[in-house]
Amino acid sequence: MTIAVSADVSLMGHLMRRAAFGAQAAELEILAARGYDSVVDELLHPERIPRPDEDLLERYHIEHSDEEQGKWTGARWMFRMVNSPRPLEEKLALMWHDVFAVGFSKVVNNPMMRSYYDMLRDHGLGNFGDMLKQLSRNPSMIYWLDQQMNHADAVNENYGRELLELFSMGRGNYTEDDVKACARAFTGWTESQTIPRYPNGFYDSKFVYLEEDHDHSEKTFLGETGNFNGDDIIDIIVRQPATARFVAAEIYDFFVSDDPDPQAIDTLAQVYVDSGHEIREMLKVLLYSDFFKEARFQRVKSPAELVASTLRFAGEHRDPYDFGLVPTTQKTILMGQQILNPPTVEGWHTGREWIDSSFLIERVNFAAERLGNPDANGVSEMTDRIAEGKDSIAPDDLLDACLYELGSMELEDDTRHILMEELGLTGDVRCELEADMVDFRNLVARLFGLIPATREYQMA
Amino acid sequence: MSGKNPVLVCLQLSGGNDYMSTVIPYGNPLYRDFRKTVGIPDDKVIPINDTYGFHPSMGPIKDLYDRGDVAIVSGIGYPDPDRSHFRSMDIWHTAQPSEISPEGWLGRTIREIDPDKRNVVTGVSFGTGLPRAMYLQGTPAISVSQLEGYGLLTSLAGEEQRTALNACTRMYAPVEFDEASMIMHHIKQTGRDAMTGADILRTAPPLYDSTIEYANNPLAQSLRGIAQVHLADVGTRIFYAQIGGFDVHGNQIATQATLWDTVSRAVADFFDDLKEHDAAEEVIMLIFTEFGRRVRDNGNGTDHGSGGGAFLIGEQIKGGMYADYPSLAPEKQLSGDLQASHDFRSLYATVLDQWVGVNPDPIVNGHFDQFDGLLRPLAA
Amino acid sequence: MKVAATQIPLPSYPANRNEYPTPFRFGHRFETSVGQRLASEGLMIPIDLVIATDGMMYVLCRSAAAPGIVPRNRFVPVDLDDEYGEEIIPIIDGKPQEPGKEFLSSPVMCAMDSEGTLFSTDEQANVVSMFKTTGETIGWWGETGDGPGQFNAPAGIALDADENVWVSESRNHRLQKFTRDGRYISGWGEFGAGLGQLDHPWGIAIDPINGTVLVADWRNDRVQRFSPEGEILQIIGRPGSGEGELKRPSGVTVDKHGDVYVADRGNNRVLLFNPRGMFIESFRGDAHITEKGYRKLLANPDALRFRDNVINLDVEKRFVAPNAVKVDANGLVYIADTGRYRIQVYRNRAVALSPDQIDPPEMHPDPVVY
């Protein structure tokens, strides 16, 4: 392997950590051979690959056809994070889920949560204005922010306010009068009453626009005056410079780094304006930028990302037959993130705040257990690749090989020294004969199980 | 005994405990009208007085009550009841009924007790995952599923675990602060806290020796763990334990009996254990649930309602019945539920101010009237 | 590469038309629905059922357990009046299952022998387990593997006239026949979409008239009929959502006239075919609120208030993912309306005509058989 190729693999590892859910070296080598352009193009166009049929997943998890158990939608999402041939749409759904945070805790209706997640996934890579229009019509969001109580003669400002504060422009870019006008424009946007769940489970709800409950009077919003309805408001919102910066900052934060870089955010905001608010175009510029390519290991993995990428390395839940998908998905709860149930409308506190002493123990223990299992499909495959064509391996090379397999991961020098010293390997490790392999597999699994205990494994 | 710090144990009954089957208004004829199928017969009720009595499974709690250690606080609830388990529990956890908040009331309490984070085990929860009540960003609180083997890399054993933990100790050892990698510094600090907490908690089981034999169920084992940690004297001030299954839409009679049998025995064993070690005086327990249930049964169980009650237990508690039992009269009900007479934050404020010794207002998001004479503060 | 069922040369079945009676079909009358979404005295994910001779249904429920709660895999006895008997919960070594230590963790389908013994398949444990209706766990047999007599995800189960037990295996894509105590007798089947091949077979049924074996060939969106020796006789249905078409069918049963009911799970309906495989009728669900549900709603004034604002209560009647269908000797048809936690019951009003009532022979040539 030449040095140039190894650099390509390393960059591909970075791309897959950020725009997907991580990949083993074997996959990275194939992708690197295809080239960065081709891989980025495919990631940005999920619509070219059909979504796989999930009948087998449903068939072998039939106990979760219980709609009240919102956890199944989360588990299905985890399965997709691990297996989808269109990972970027799952990744973006995860990003938008944190921005447009809606939680099961209040909605308490799984069909509604499922349609909310479908919306994030279907529109996440599209036009930002379209996304906001879908969001404003989503029954989960309507109920979550009390839109059904926003009447022409009794305005409820909850959604109108959060649309401006949390979903688009951010505080300081509008007045209280704008909030009132915005809320009035969304009067009459409501949802159909679902059948109460007693006694036969849950029913879906639909968006309903009640003409007679809409405030048809003139409104002044962000300096413009007219008889605005909700969509008109969104059309105004998406043209605001503050919105461009808001979307750019969210995307930067999710894909690049926990530390904002104003210049990079300006670049992305300009793409937002120039492209007519297309998320796909923003991501395209981002994925080719130097600020992205250089930002290796500068984001703390969210619990969902940590669990999904660990499962991908360990080769678990590749198969729809595998039992135990729900408990595995629920591990993220112990790490501070319950998928489809963010703590508040503000979503999760991300970045360094994912690292809390309870959460860190869960993160380390989960990944160490999965990757330290020599019998896990992925661990066994990676071990085979390390041993392939070799008689023996020097200890330092063995650690390097393990890191390389885990998506071309990097460790600080200090961490390397500590791991090597504590492992206490004195000479080359043999891996030539069948008889060597039992010890070799156990040793390599031990190493794979130690790497998640490093600080570096927490980062993407 | 002086020089001891007050300790609060919170016990959460998840699913919405049916208060009317816990403290039973058996002397009230309306009780029979509304509870045709899940009512407890008079001769089974453990009477407190002519009107009220404990559920038949609550014998051990009645014993504590007779010692004067149990305060029954009726009519506790929150404004504008929401019949969702999740939302109701969130409200109890965050002391914030009007908006959705991520900050737990006990998390804030822990911050008040130990603002400099000197002791990472000030708050310890037993069960799966940290309850939101204990959670506050930047304030350490520990969640333990099993005390034995709590900590990092518990899937390993023996020599492998030893070398791995050595590696962790070194990887997370303090170094000079490096501004360029603040996040790596933060992870290091946090990892060290986690290991410190685990090291401290690991000391508890070997020190523990008791004649009490707790039952082999998760709640009893959680309370045993709490006793172990408390007796190890590591400075934990807030403990949390929980038990689920109270959502008795059906099969209420059998389910309620099993659950209260489990709770009553575990709680009594816990206090007996502490007493045996002369360590009961400084501990009180608050038992709460997210909501009560409908006044009228549904033919086999009861559905989500509001306005339940809470218990405070401990030697420093002045036993008895507090606050009026909510009226069963149809016109006094709230859409078919018991009408709460006291905001739950009054109870929180009472415990925080009079027991824990911190200012309750910022913790419970406002100023609430406290109950008088519910408990005797620990002698300083 | 899958081959569409229509491209396969179809065997002509039945060879002897007189084998089956000629029923006069007067349609089905909706009879009742029972069950509600409750952990006790309710049906949590009812995936299959059997009808005992006394008319009691034993409904197999497979539901996810919340952490710390005993798994809800169990048989729930319920009658047509929505009254419940004592639940049958797997007991291993004298103890009920605990979360994380389930032995019988993923039950799929069930059957009952003439002595009233309940049999159920378990696709995770790879066993067939047996229970008495009094609640005792009798035992289980089977082991993991793909050899004769071994299992990989056993699914459908049915007893033939000799009380041998037929089991379909969804992941070995085959059918096997056993004695009631688990001794292997015979078996056949291979993976594929061709004639007689199977792709994740699910429910099975034995034709009471001639002992032929029908299987819901789940992932091929069809039902196949085999002779007891494994010869392919007939294909019923084809992929789709139109008339007589199937989408991931899970359950199949045959009534005393030889009519074939198919739980067309993916299309949220049940289809009826005649013995020749002609599509006759579809069922989409007509449930009313069950007795228990009625009482529950009355105890919940806010739920009643909400119901008052619901624009379309029609969907409440319909099936969601009906997983299984069974018939009894009295002409009742029981449909496990899995996604709605209930059983819907119809009465079949068909009558078999006596030979002197049949006159003259059919005038039209056979229509196209799917």
Side-chain angles (χ1 to χ4, degrees):
Chain A
M1 193 186 303
T2 67
I3 288 177
V5 170
S6 132
D8 290 348
V9 170
S10 168
L11 176 62
M12 196 55 71
H14 175 63
L15 178 66
M16 295 313 278
R17 274 189 297 275
R18 298 297 178 84
F21 293 89
Q24 289 181 10
E27 187 184 341
L28 296 181
E29 288 169 8
I30 295 168
L31 295 173
R34 262 177 57 193
Y36 196 79
D37 292 358
S38 156
V39 174
V40 167
D41 193 52
E42 183 174 298
L43 283 167
L44 287 172
H45 290 280
E47 72 281 1
R48 291 178 192 158
I49 306 168
R51 286 181 183 151
D53 198 345
E54 290 177 347
D55 58 341
L56 286 170
L57 186 71
E58 288 162 9
R59 161 71 182 82
Y60 290 92
H61 295 81
I62 195 168
E63 62 273 31
H64 297 296
S65 49
D66 183 351
E67 291 291 6
E68 189 168 357
Q69 308 285 349
K71 59 192 177 188
W72 175 238
T73 302
R76 183 196 288 271
W77 192 355
M78 179 57 73
F79 185 81
R80 290 171 179 167
M81 291 183 214
V82 174
N83 295 296
S84 175
R86 311 160 38 139
L88 185 58
E89 69 180 3
E90 304 301 340
K91 197 91 186 192
L92 272 164
L94 207 50
M95 179 184 97
W96 292 125
H97 181 32
D98 196 15
V99 179
F100 309 133
V102 170
F104 186 78
S105 62
K106 180 169 173 184
V107 177
V108 203
N109 181 321
N110 188 45
M112 282 164 71
M113 289 309 294
R114 206 173 43 204
S115 75
Y116 158 78
Y117 156 62
D118 286 347
M119 173 201 65
L120 300 178
R121 196 162 76 120
D122 292 345
H123 298 276
L125 203 49
N127 182 280
F128 186 67
D130 290 347
M131 172 62 116
L132 288 185
K133 288 173 187 175
Q134 290 296 326
L135 184 71
S136 305
R137 287 170 170 80
N138 188 271
S140 278
M141 179 56 88
I142 288 170
Y143 187 71
W144 172 248
L145 291 181
D146 309 323
Q147 249 304 102
Q148 81 281 12
M149 298 198 281
N150 187 16
H151 305 290
D153 56 357
V155 174
N156 182 308
E157 289 177 4
N158 202 2
Y159 183 71
R161 180 180 302 281
E162 302 303 12
L163 175 62
L164 301 180
E165 181 183 331
L166 297 176
F167 305 157
S168 63
M169 299 165 65
R171 258 184 201 183
N173 295 298
Y174 51 85
T175 65
E176 280 300 302
D177 286 342
D178 292 325
V179 170
K180 289 194 182 81
C182 180
R184 280 168 53 213
F186 281 98
T187 48
W189 289 48
T190 185
E191 52 162 350
S192 61
Q193 171 69 56
T194 60
I195 303 173
R197 69 178 185 276
Y198 304 131
N200 293 113
F202 286 83
Y203 296 84
D204 210 349
S205 176
K206 298 233 167 354
F207 170 68
V208 175
Y209 172 65
L210 296 177
E211 183 87 35
E212 66 276 19
D213 198 22
H214 178 72
D215 176 348
H216 290 277
S217 62
E218 196 173 75
K219 305 158 190 91
T220 297
F221 178 67
L222 295 173
E224 298 185 39
T225 302
N227 175 14
F228 298 134
N229 209 319
D231 283 347
D232 305 318
I233 293 288
I234 290 170
D235 288 339
I236 296 170
I237 288 173
V238 296
R239 291 200 302 267
Q240 304 300 315
T243 303
R245 281 195 306 275
F246 171 89
V247 177
E250 291 291 349
I251 289 179
Y252 180 90
D253 178 69
F254 189 82
F255 284 95
V256 185
S257 167
D258 293 324
D259 295 320
D261 167 1
Q263 223 178 336
I265 291 171
D266 282 349
T267 304
L268 294 174
Q270 194 56 49
V271 182
Y272 173 89
V273 174
D274 294 346
S275 67
H277 324 134
E278 293 295 333
I279 304 300
R280 191 194 316 265
E281 296 308 313
M282 296 173 78
L283 280 172
K284 190 169 180 180
V285 169
L286 180 144
L287 295 177
Y288 278 107
S289 70
D290 289 339
F291 61 74
F292 170 74
K293 291 182 180 176
E294 286 160 11
R296 313 276 171 100
F297 303 102
Q298 289 186 15
R299 273 189 75 236
V300 179
K301 290 174 189 161
S302 68
E305 291 168 318
L306 184 115
V307 168
S309 60
T310 301
L311 293 175
R312 283 179 60 78
F313 291 135
E316 292 187 29
H317 293 291
R318 282 176 187 166
D319 187 332
Y321 303 119
D322 286 356
F323 297 99
L325 181 61
V326 167
T328 299
T329 304
Q330 294 195 312
K331 295 286 183 191
T332 64
I333 302 174
L334 308 179
M335 305 172 195
Q337 184 181 36
Q338 182 172 14
I339 298 168
L340 293 173
N341 198 19
T344 73
V345 66
E346 293 180 48
W348 289 277
H349 293 265
T350 60
R352 61 174 271 155
E353 308 206 7
W354 288 126
I355 305 295
D356 168 283
S357 55
S358 288
F359 300 162
L360 183 61
I361 288 179
E362 299 293 344
R363 292 166 74 106
V364 168
N365 287 357
F366 171 79
E369 191 181 337
R370 303 293 167 128
L371 291 179
N373 172 12
D375 300 326
N377 286 332
V379 173
S380 157
E381 289 161 9
M382 294 190 291
T383 309
D384 286 342
R385 277 171 45 89
I386 292 170
E388 199 181 351
K390 297 188 191 74
D391 299 342
S392 64
I393 304 176
D396 270 314
D397 293 342
L398 183 60
L399 177 58
D400 282 339
C402 288
L403 292 169
Y404 178 74
E405 289 300 321
L406 294 175
S408 196
M409 197 186 145
E410 290 160 25
L411 291 182
E412 289 181 3
D413 288 345
D414 280 355
T415 310
R416 283 191 59 96
H417 288 311
I418 293 169
L419 288 185
M420 290 314 300
E421 280 181 27
E422 292 298 333
L423 269 175
L425 297 177
T426 45
D428 291 3
V429 187
R430 300 209 52 85
C431 58
E432 183 191 10
L433 304 171
E434 198 67 15
D436 302 330
M437 284 306 283
V438 175
D439 286 346
F440 186 75
R441 282 183 189 286
N442 286 332
L443 177 64
V444 174
R446 212 175 131 194
L447 250 174
F448 277 132
L450 256 182
I451 292 171
T454 64
R455 291 177 296 157
E456 291 85 337
Y457 191 81
Q458 307 309 319
M459 310 295 288
Chain B
M1 195 186 297
S2 65
K4 288 212 167 183
N5 287 315
V7 171
L8 172 65
V9 179
C10 263
L11 170 54
Q12 169 180 316
L13 313 179
S14 311
N17 175 50
D18 181 24
Y19 192 59
M20 283 173 68
S21 299
T22 308
V23 177
I24 302 168
Y26 74 105
N28 185 338
L30 287 171
Y31 171 70
R32 297 280 154 226
D33 292 348
F34 287 119
R35 294 300 177 89
K36 289 205 165 57
T37 53
V38 305
I40 308 287
D42 282 0
D43 59 343
K44 295 259 181 70
V45 172
I46 305 174
I48 298 169
N49 54 38
D50 289 347
T51 313
Y52 302 104
F54 283 112
H55 186 279
S57 293
M58 294 173 72
I61 297 232
K62 175 65 165 43
D63 294 344
L64 287 168
Y65 184 86
D66 290 342
R67 279 193 232 161
D69 290 353
V70 178
I72 301 167
V73 192
S74 297
I76 295 287
Y78 60 86
D80 300 324
D82 184 311
R83 294 188 183 85
S84 150
H85 292 292
F86 305 93
R87 181 67 196 126
S88 301
M89 198 55 97
D90 272 1
I91 290 169
W92 279 87
H93 281 189
T94 60
Q96 179 54 277
S98 55
E99 56 190 74
I100 298 174
S101 159
E103 298 195 347
W105 75 286
L106 293 173
R108 289 173 170 181
T109 306
I110 295 164
R111 182 174 58 189
E112 284 299 307
I113 294 171
D114 182 21
D116 301 328
K117 301 175 207 168
R118 288 212 188 87
N119 187 352
V120 294
V121 298
T122 301
V124 178
S125 165
F126 281 76
T128 307
L130 197 63
R132 187 171 289 182
M134 298 277 277
Y135 182 73
L136 179 66
Q137 193 64 57
T139 296
I142 285 181
S143 157
V144 183
S145 54
Q146 264 191 320
L147 202 51
E148 281 84 2
Y150 167 75
L152 273 180
L153 299 171
T154 44
S155 62
L156 300 178
E159 177 63 13
E160 266 185 44
Q161 191 189 38
R162 202 188 55 76
T163 51
L165 287 175
N166 279 347
C168 289
T169 307
R170 291 178 59 193
M171 288 192 292
Y172 291 90
V175 285
E176 221 167 290
F177 184 69
D178 174 8
E179 182 125 7
S181 67
M182 269 167 52
I183 179 62
M184 293 306 267
H185 188 83
H186 173 69
I187 300 177
K188 204 164 235 194
Q189 173 71 43
T190 309
R192 213 157 52 243
D193 282 354
M195 283 188 283
T196 309
D199 287 345
I200 294 171
L201 293 184
R202 248 198 305 273
T203 62
L207 295 173
Y208 176 77
D209 181 33
S210 174
T211 63
I212 304 294
E213 285 189 24
Y214 288 84
N216 187 22
N217 61 62
L219 175 67
Q221 291 302 311
S222 289
L223 292 182
R224 179 170 177 266
I226 290 174
Q228 289 177 325
V229 175
H230 175 61
L231 295 173
D233 207 12
V234 294
T236 306
R237 301 279 302 280
I238 306 290
F239 287 103
Y240 207 90
Q242 39 192 314
I243 173 172
F246 288 87
D247 198 15
V248 288
H249 294 283
N251 199 17
Q252 169 159 351
I253 291 195
T255 311
Q256 187 88 0
T258 312
L259 285 168
W260 273 103
D261 183 61
T262 303
V263 172
S264 305
R265 285 169 193 271
V267 169
D269 283 347
F270 174 71
F271 279 102
D272 286 350
D273 197 5
L274 297 187
K275 213 174 175 60
E276 175 178 319
H277 295 87
D278 196 18
E281 185 193 28
E282 66 270 26
V283 178
I284 67 166
M285 179 183 282
L286 167 65
I287 304 181
F288 79 99
T289 186
E290 70 265 40
F291 50 55
R293 308 191 75 84
R294 294 257 184 241
V295 174
R296 185 189 296 278
D297 69 43
N298 66 15
N300 187 28
T302 48
D303 298 319
H304 301 180
S306 67
F311 299 92
L312 280 173
I313 304 179
E315 289 184 356
Q316 297 302 101
I317 299 298
K318 287 191 206 158
M321 292 191 71
Y322 292 83
D324 289 339
Y325 200 97
S327 172
L328 303 191
E331 69 278 9
K332 297 276 181 60
Q333 292 178 16
L334 178 72
S335 320
D337 292 342
L338 296 179
Q339 176 93 260
S341 54
H342 288 79
D343 193 291
F344 71 112
R345 289 166 292 181
S346 288
L347 193 60
Y348 282 1
T350 308
V351 168
L352 290 170
D353 183 37
Q354 301 177 33
W355 181 253
V356 182
V358 294
N359 178 12
D361 297 2
I363 293 176
V364 302
N365 300 301
H367 187 75
F368 291 87
D369 290 341
Q370 298 183 14
F371 289 91
D372 284 331
L374 243 178
L375 47 78
R376 290 177 285 265
L378 202 58
Chain C
M1 175 75 194
K2 282 192 180 180
V3 184
T6 47
Q7 293 167 5
I8 299 168
L10 288 169
S12 103
Y13 181 87
N16 172 10
R17 194 159 301 163
N18 297 329
E19 198 174 333
Y20 288 99
T22 305
F24 216 132
R25 298 186 181 83
F26 297 100
H28 289 68
R29 186 173 69 204
F30 176 74
E31 192 84 2
T32 191
S33 55
V34 300
Q36 58 173 332
R37 191 196 177 282
L38 259 195
S40 73
E41 302 220 338
L43 306 175
M44 293 297 283
I45 319 289
I47 56 176
D48 197 10
L49 74 159
V50 294
I51 320 299
T53 44
D54 59 0
M56 194 67 141
M57 295 169 237
Y58 289 86
V59 183
L60 178 61
C61 293
R62 165 169 160 182
S63 167
I69 296 174
V70 175
R72 289 168 181 161
N73 298 328
R74 57 191 60 187
F75 284 98
V76 180
V78 56
D79 67 14
L80 288 171
D81 295 324
D82 210 13
E83 295 295 334
Y84 294 77
E86 201 68 23
E87 292 179 348
I88 301 167
I89 301 168
I91 304 282
I92 309 298
D93 298 334
K95 278 184 264 175
Q97 302 181 48
E98 290 173 49
K101 295 181 190 162
E102 300 91 346
F103 185 76
L104 305 175
S105 39
S106 303
V108 187
M109 282 196 150
C110 58
M112 182 179 260
D113 68 10
S114 58
E115 293 166 10
T117 304
L118 288 160
F119 291 77
S120 65
T121 49
D122 191 298
E123 66 188 4
Q124 192 169 174
N126 288 326
V127 297
V128 167
S129 34
M130 296 174 292
F131 306 92
K132 287 186 186 169
T133 52
T134 46
E136 292 115 276
T137 304
I138 298 172
W140 55 87
W141 43 265
E143 58 180 24
T144 306
D146 58 7
Q150 295 178 321
F151 288 137
N152 190 2
I157 184 166
L159 272 67
D160 64 18
D162 300 328
E163 303 240 337
N164 290 318
V165 182
W166 290 77
V167 177
S168 72
E169 286 167 84
S170 64
R171 294 184 62 192
N172 278 336
H173 314 284
R174 65 180 181 185
L175 277 66
Q176 299 193 95
K177 181 163 79 164
F178 298 86
T179 61
R180 274 191 300 173
D181 51 4
R183 197 166 48 78
Y184 172 76
I185 300 172
S186 63
W188 75 82
E190 59 175 17
F191 176 76
L195 190 65
Q197 291 178 322
L198 299 166
D199 188 349
H200 294 78
W202 198 335
I204 57 178
I206 311 295
D207 187 324
I209 293 167
N210 54 24
T212 53
V213 183
L214 290 93
V215 56
D217 187 6
W218 177 70
R219 222 162 181 242
N220 282 325
D221 299 320
R222 64 186 180 187
V223 169
Q224 297 201 81
R225 186 197 295 265
F226 295 91
S227 74
E229 291 73 40
E231 182 198 353
I232 175 73
L233 299 175
Q234 184 184 34
I235 288 178
I236 299 173
R238 62 181 175 197
S241 302
E243 277 184 9
E245 294 177 337
L246 298 169
K247 184 175 171 191
R248 301 292 186 264
S250 49
V252 58
T253 198
V254 186
D255 73 7
K256 61 184 177 186
H257 306 123
D259 284 351
V260 179
Y261 293 82
V262 183
D264 186 11
R265 189 175 204 275
N267 282 324
N268 296 317
R269 64 185 183 183
V270 169
L271 299 189
L272 177 62
F273 297 87
N274 76 4
R276 281 180 286 151
M278 278 174 57
F279 169 64
I280 304 291
E281 190 182 354
S282 74
F283 306 82
R284 296 185 171 274
D286 296 279
H288 47 63
I289 297 286
T290 61
E291 287 310 302
K292 285 277 189 319
Y294 170 80
R295 269 186 263 166
K296 187 168 178 76
L297 277 168
L298 277 182
N300 285 275
D302 58 344
L304 281 176
R305 267 199 307 278
F306 288 143
R307 276 181 79 79
D308 202 34
N309 292 322
V310 174
I311 296 162
N312 178 8
L313 279 170
D314 194 59
V315 293
E316 201 173 58
K317 302 194 277 191
R318 306 294 175 220
F319 298 132
V320 173
N323 207 66
V325 53
K326 292 283 164 80
V327 292
D328 71 6
N330 306 319
L332 291 180
V333 182
Y334 302 78
I335 293 153
D337 187 3
T338 309
R340 289 279 169 242
Y341 319 96
R342 66 189 168 198
I343 308 297
Q344 297 205 33
V345 185
Y346 290 84
R347 181 173 295 281
N348 183 4
R349 303 175 71 217
V351 244
L353 301 179
S354 55
D356 57 319
Q357 289 174 295
I358 306 169
D359 171 67
E362 289 150 60
M363 292 168 62
H364 299 286
D366 280 352
V368 177
V369 174
Y370 295 137

